[in-house]
């Protein structure tokens, strides 16, 4: 096995190890909040578990997976060795050290502040420093992605950067912008407070800085799924990508519209004027554009594949698609979950409607369906496509792969649809237990049990996923040489510089961020609000 | 050849630069126009707010929503405690030094609370390992009359702010004894349940929600582990009867009045044993 392959596998192994542990914790959390397991465990244990679940899923699984996938794309799409392998390994070990540093205080009960921190709560400083190391590792990855693309452009002047790499670099650029908010919050507010250097934290400022990160981070997790939609799914279906340009525009729109929109997470917060909230909500509405572009382009690409396979009529091409192939199946299931999750997100985005579902299970359902559902099922699909190429072995049978994907889809739908409904009924989130003796809460019981059933199916799927990869490693079948990335119907010969790099878009992001976050952040300096007492949980 | 193919994308690029910038700026400026000007002014008109005020509120320069009149509460506050946790007070606590507190303890406090914070009689609380903020708050309350005690009121009035903090820091730094494993095994399940989960049917929150260090209670929450049983029983009875009333928002008066005498005894025994 070559060095670059070992690098990718090392990242994937850390990502999915964290995923498996977090899936088990998730199932336990659902059990203790259901009528079946009511009052097992203490609230302290519950919040420790939620913190570990969130950190493992949102920071460890996503970051390590995206880094590993990025290195893989840089080598395979650009067809040249990865620059700075030593740096890549150093970043990997730094991030692993960061995970350990964060995990130990969590398990000691010294960091039960959830993955979104919630200052003025402050945990052990090692928790935050560990997470800063994970982010710093990902910054090295961002720089390596930019260096790889620049070197390729130098060697291939005037040529369009392959779409998979263009999407990866768009994600890296976005991540550099994204992490500024949380990095400033941690370094200048939360870590000094956790060391006891300051006694108060301006919670409004901290929440505003975190909102800078909070929405774009979701697109950081999402973009690998979109890269797979554009570059892997049409090939797996046996067709071509309908439009390469549409892919480039999608990734660019994600870059510019994912950042100046985070204030829609603060609609109930009093520290900002409604005008700023309106501007950011309007910009949020434009985030739907790249998603709708993608649904159109990928549906068109799949239609090409379906018709090439003999599909006829208005919908006949859908039945003609090779659904037995895990990548195609995963994309179809991801689209269904993206549909439900996306419409739920439109509710969250509206000021008035958000007020009704704010801090209820609706929100939990929404982000589990989008990230846990659409995105993670595509992580599985990518792993199933990429892992054989890294390990040099082929899956002995696709049947357990398909079963695993179906279980994940069914589990996620069964878990999150009742949560949506319970959220509309007012079931609050971020609580350790429910009093089922209360007649109103007792009425929620049956739906909570149904969603627990979904959670257990998800756990079974997570175990099956790891089992499928373990079987792959012992498989006697050598890997088949087959192309991974789809060609476009009209492969681009030359593209404008705007669609081949990020200079223009960085300028626009800067302007948008200054307009959307300039005064809302400056007001904390112009007229400081009363700061909140630091509240230590360690 | 390389040069021409390199310059071509830049020629192709010009309309992209212009149109992309124009589109993005149009979107954001229409957001500004709608969100900061039109909607606040229109909504403000129906709420009887002039255009200038409505725009300032939308920008967050003036408080209040553009759509609603603000009702001011003019009821004078009647706080049960005069302690205000300002950054200055928190800094005094952070700067407190146990060494300085020791002298005052050896001079005054040790006669009842012991030099190591282990009290000499059951009616006095143990202070070893107690939260510094909790000791400070009680001393301050004695000083201002929010809590009264024959001796403590006079003693606290004689101490200045910094000395209160030093004494608090001294006792906070004294080690607790180890939990008693024998007593730990004896805790009845109903009491453990009350501590860990409370009783939602009687609106009693779990004791551990505040009284476990780091759990999320107010800063002045005392640590109850290893506290004297008689002292805890007496305080809960005083809260229940309203005789003691320096608990902010009446939290402890509400909770204690809902506990049965047997539960008060059980909880006091639980915490005496060193549970956290």
């Amino acid at each position: 096995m070559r060095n670059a392959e070992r690098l990718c596998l090392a990242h994937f192994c850390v990502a999915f190890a964290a995923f498996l542990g977090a899936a088990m914790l998730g199932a336990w959390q659902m059990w203790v909040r259901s009528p079946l397991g009511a009052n097992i465990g203490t609230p302290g244990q519950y919040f420790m578990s939620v913190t570990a679940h969130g950190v493992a899923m949102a920071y460890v699984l996503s970051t390590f997976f995206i880094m590993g996938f990025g290195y893989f794309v840089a080598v395979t799409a650009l067809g040249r060795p990865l620059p700075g392998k030593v740096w890549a390994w150093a970043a990997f070990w730094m991030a692993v050290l960061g995970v350990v540093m964060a995990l130990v205080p969590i398990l000691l009960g010294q960091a039960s502040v959830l993955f979104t921190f919630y200052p003025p709560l402050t945990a052990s400083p090692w928790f935050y420093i560990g997470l800063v190391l994970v982010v710093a590792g990902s910054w090295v990855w961002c720089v390596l992605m930019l260096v790889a693309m620049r070197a390729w452009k130098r060697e291939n002047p005037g040529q369009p950067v392959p779409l998979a790499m263009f999407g990866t670099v768009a994600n890296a650029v976005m991540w550099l912008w994204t992490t500024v908010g949380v990095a400033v919050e941690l370094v200048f507010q939360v870590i000094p407070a956790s060391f006891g250097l300051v006694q108060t934290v301006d919670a409004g400022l901290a929440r505003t800085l975190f909102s800078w990160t909070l929405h774009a981070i979701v697109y950081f997790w999402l973009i690998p799924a979109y890269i797979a939609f554009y570059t892997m799914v049409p090939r797996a279906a046996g067709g071509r990508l309908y439009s390469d340009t549409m892919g480039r525009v999608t990734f660019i729109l994600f870059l510019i519209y994912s950042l100046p929109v985070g204030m829609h997470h603060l609609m109930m917060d009093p520290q900002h004027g409604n005008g700023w909230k309106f501007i950011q909500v309007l910009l949020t509405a434009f985030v739907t554009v790249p998603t709708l572009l993608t649904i159109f382009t990928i549906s068109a690409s799949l239609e090409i594949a379906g018709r090439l396979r003999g599909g006829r009529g208005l919908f006949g091409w859908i039945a003609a698609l090779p659904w037995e192939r895990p990548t195609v199946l995963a994309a179809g299931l991801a689209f269904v979950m993206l549909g439900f999750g996306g419409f739920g997100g439109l509710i969250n985005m509206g000021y008035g409607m958000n007020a009704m579902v704010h801090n209820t299970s609706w929100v939990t359902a929404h982000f589990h369906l989008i990230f846990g559902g659409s995105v993670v099922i595509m992580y599985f699909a990518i792993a199933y496509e990429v892992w054989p190429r890294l390990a040099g072995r082929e899956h002995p049978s696709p049947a357990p792969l398909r079963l695993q994907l179906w279980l994940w889809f069914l589990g996620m739908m069964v878990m999150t649809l009742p949560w949506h409904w319970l959220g509309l009924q007012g079931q609050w989130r971020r609580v350790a237990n429910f009093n089922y003796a209360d007649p109103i809460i007792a009425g929620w019981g049956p739906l909570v049990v149904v969603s627990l059933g979904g959670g257990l199916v998800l756990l079974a799927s997570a175990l099956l996923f790891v089992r499928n990869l373990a079987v792959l490693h012992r498989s006697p079948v050598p890997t088949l040489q087959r192309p991974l990335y789809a060609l476009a119907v009209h492969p681009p010969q030359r593209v404008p510089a705007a669609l081949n790099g990020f200079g223009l878009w960085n300028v626009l992001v800067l302007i948008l961020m200054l307009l959307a976050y300039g005064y809302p952040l400056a007001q904390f300096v112009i007229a400081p609000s009363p700061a909140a007492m630091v509240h230590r949980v360690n | 050849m390389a040069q021409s193919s390199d310059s071509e994308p830049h020629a192709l690029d010009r309309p992209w630069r212009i149109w992309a910038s124009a589109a993005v700026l149009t979107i954001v400026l229409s957001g500004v126009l709608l969100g900061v000007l039109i909607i606040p002014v229109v909504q403000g008109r129906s709420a009887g707010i002039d255009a200038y005020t409505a725009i300032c509120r939308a920008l967050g320069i003036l408080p209040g929503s553009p759509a609603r009149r603000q009702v001011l509460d003019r009821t004078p506050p009647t706080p049960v405690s005069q302690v205000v946790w300002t950054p200055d007070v928190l800094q005094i606590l952070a700067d407190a030094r146990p060494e300085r507190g020791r002298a005052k303890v050896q001079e005054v406090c040790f006669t009842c609370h012991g030099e190591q914070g282990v009290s000499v009689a059951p009616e006095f609380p143990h202070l070893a390992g107690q939260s510094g903020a909790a000791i400070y708050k009680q001393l301050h309350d004695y000083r201002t009359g929010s809590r009264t005690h024959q001796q403590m009121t006079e003693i606290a009035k004689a101490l200045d702010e910094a000395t209160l903090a030093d004494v608090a820091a001294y006792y906070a730094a004294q080690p607790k004894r180890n939990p008693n494993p024998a007593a730990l095994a004896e805790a009845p399940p109903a009491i453990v349940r009350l501590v860990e989960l409370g009783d939602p049917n009687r609106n009693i929150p779990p004791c551990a929600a505040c009284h476990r260090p780091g759990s999320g209670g107010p800063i002045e929450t005392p640590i109850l582990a290893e506290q004297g049983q008689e002292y805890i029983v007496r305080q809960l009875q005083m809260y229940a009867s309203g005789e003691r009333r320096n608990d902010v928002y009446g939290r402890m008066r509400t909770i204690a009045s809902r506990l049965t005498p047997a539960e008060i005894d059980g909880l006091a025994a639980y915490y005496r044993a060193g549970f956290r």
Side-chain angles (χ1 to χ4, degrees), chain A residues 75-382:
Chain A
V75 172
T76 53
L78 297 182
R80 64 191 301 284
L82 185 72
K85 275 201 207 70
V86 176
W87 284 97
W89 276 111
F92 170 76
W93 286 112
M94 181 166 70
V96 169
L97 175 69
V99 171
V100 175
M101 275 172 69
L103 196 61
V104 171
I106 292 175
L107 297 180
L108 291 174
Q110 311 237 310
S112 298
V113 294
L114 279 54
F115 86 98
T116 35
F117 307 145
Y118 298 111
L121 288 182
T122 48
S124 156
W126 304 111
F127 169 69
Y128 304 111
I129 294 170
L131 294 179
V132 167
L133 288 183
V134 174
V135 171
S138 70
W139 284 342
V140 175
W141 170 83
C142 292
V143 172
L144 290 177
M145 291 300 103
L146 284 163
V147 168
M149 184 177 81
R150 186 153 296 177
W152 185 90
K153 278 174 139 181
R154 235 188 348 260
E155 291 162 10
N156 302 275
Q159 296 296 309
V161 176
L163 184 58
M165 190 60 191
F166 187 79
T168 302
V169 177
N171 207 12
V173 172
M174 192 186 76
W175 185 235
L176 288 172
W177 277 102
T178 305
T179 41
V180 170
V182 73
V184 171
E185 183 202 355
L186 286 183
V187 173
F188 293 103
Q189 290 195 280
V190 176
I191 292 178
S194 70
F195 272 116
L197 302 177
V198 291
Q199 311 307 322
T200 55
V201 166
D202 188 332
L205 174 60
R207 289 177 64 80
T208 308
L209 287 168
F210 198 76
S211 83
W212 169 316
T213 300
L214 189 55
H215 202 69
I217 197 173
V218 181
Y219 291 106
F220 174 64
W221 304 335
L222 190 78
I223 284 184
Y226 275 57
I227 294 172
F229 285 152
Y230 277 99
T231 64
M232 295 179 175
V233 171
R235 165 68 71 181
R240 284 191 166 211
L241 173 62
Y242 177 70
S243 166
D244 180 272
T245 307
M246 214 72 108
R248 288 168 197 272
V249 170
T250 295
F251 293 126
I252 287 166
L253 287 176
F254 272 134
L255 168 63
I256 56 178
Y257 285 124
S258 61
L259 281 152
V261 301
M263 215 182 269
H264 70 244
H265 291 248
L266 302 180
M267 289 206 277
M268 293 289 112
D269 279 38
Q271 68 269 27
H272 297 295
N274 278 350
W276 302 107
K277 292 176 184 171
F278 181 88
I279 293 168
Q280 296 214 12
V281 166
L282 185 82
L283 293 173
T284 308
F286 283 87
V287 176
T288 52
V289 176
T291 295
L292 294 174
L293 278 183
T294 303
I295 290 171
F296 173 77
T297 311
I298 303 310
S299 298
S301 308
L302 290 175
E303 184 178 349
I304 293 170
R307 295 200 186 282
L308 282 174
R309 294 171 60 86
R312 293 281 174 271
L314 202 55
F315 298 111
W317 57 270
I318 297 176
L321 284 170
W323 294 112
E324 71 281 3
R325 297 181 190 166
T327 306
V328 180
L329 176 64
L333 299 176
F335 267 31
V336 175
M337 291 189 280
L338 195 61
F340 281 96
F343 283 115
L346 293 179
I347 306 292
N348 302 343
M349 194 185 78
Y351 192 98
M353 290 187 287
N354 169 71
M356 292 192 290
V357 297
H358 189 79
N359 264 344
T360 66
S361 300
W362 176 281
V363 180
T364 324
H366 167 70
F367 66 72
H368 275 81
L369 198 46
I370 291 278
F371 176 57
S374 310
V375 173
V376 169
I377 207 168
M378 289 311 292
Y379 286 8
F380 296 149
I382 292 169

Side-chain angles (χ1 to χ4, degrees), chain B residues 43 122 142 242 270:
Chain B
Q43 285 190 335
Y142 281 127
Y270 176 95

